[in-house]
Amino acid sequence: LTDACNFKCPYCRGVEKKYKGSLSLDEAKKVVDLWAEGNIHNIRFSGGEPTIWPGLEELVKYTSAIPSIERIAVSTNGSASIEFYQKLLDAGVNDFSISLDACCSSTADKMSGETGKFKSIKDSIEYLSSRTYVSVGVVLNGENDSELRGVIDFAIGLGVSDVRIITAAQSNH
């Protein structure tokens, strides 16, 4: 939906210049319609950070009204408010994939390139996990490799359904 993001993760390579920008709501609806014509059953909205894209809630409502669509997923860094995530649940999202690259705030600050976001991410994961399917993605690099077991245990304690481990391209030797 957009290449814009409110984090500055050191491992993120972004997108090629020719793909930078954001879709308009009408463009996004046309893509959803095209996929629905192909009888697709699962759609994932991502970015950048899709929760900062202004049309997300409306696009989810639009998508959930299509009879063939069974699963609507959002890949997010977990930084939106719980109230906004609840609006997405109400609109039809039934699958969240959330970045969780740390089990403590100091490492989370390094991994996200932002400070003070860890508690809200933790709270979002815990809230959503009690209401729908949530997977977390753990990107490993030199900053958090040694914390992997702690991150997995932490995620399980928050109630997630699945933990995905991803090596950062820069660290994948």
Side-chain angles (χ1 to χ4, degrees):
L1 298 175
T2 181
D3 70 322
C5 186
N6 55 338
F7 280 10
K8 299 170 194 76
C9 302
Y11 55 79
C12 183
R13 295 173 291 174
V15 297
E16 290 182 42
K17 188 175 183 173
K18 64 183 176 182
Y19 299 116
K20 286 195 176 283
S22 296
L23 293 175
S24 69
L25 181 58
D26 287 340
E27 289 169 328
K29 286 179 178 179
K30 286 178 186 174
V31 171
V32 168
D33 289 341
L34 179 65
W35 288 341
E37 287 172 15
N39 202 30
I40 196 163
H41 301 286
N42 305 303
I43 290 183
R44 177 174 302 279
F45 297 117
S46 63
E49 175 52 39
T51 63
I52 64 174
W53 185 72
L56 183 59
E57 183 182 358
E58 185 175 340
L59 182 61
V60 169
K61 287 178 184 176
Y62 180 83
T63 304
S64 68
I66 299 171
S68 65
I69 304 296
E70 298 168 8
R71 299 207 58 81
I72 301 172
V74 172
S75 293
T76 176
N77 60 26
S79 66
S81 69
I82 286 177
E83 293 78 17
F84 186 68
Y85 287 124
Q86 183 59 55
K87 287 180 181 182
L88 293 177
L89 286 168
D90 294 343
V93 173
N94 51 17
D95 182 333
F96 285 90
S97 178
I98 303 174
S99 299
L100 181 68
D101 300 331
C103 58
C104 66
S105 60
S106 60
T107 305
D109 290 351
K110 291 176 192 172
M111 294 298 290
S112 68
E114 294 291 322
T115 57
K117 303 288 186 183
F118 184 70
K119 183 179 179 334
S120 65
I121 294 167
K122 176 197 85 64
D123 291 348
S124 295
I125 292 170
E126 194 167 40
Y127 180 83
L128 291 168
S129 292
S130 70
R131 287 158 176 78
T132 195
Y133 181 89
V134 174
S135 64
V136 294
V138 183
V139 174
L140 293 177
N141 69 9
E143 295 290 337
N144 67 346
D145 289 347
S146 64
E147 298 178 20
L148 177 58
R149 184 72 223 181
V151 177
I152 292 170
D153 291 342
F154 183 67
I156 291 168
L158 295 176
V160 303
S161 301
D162 187 22
V163 178
R164 294 173 297 111
I165 300 166
I166 308 154
T167 56
Q170 302 89 329
S171 300
N172 194 4
H173 302 290

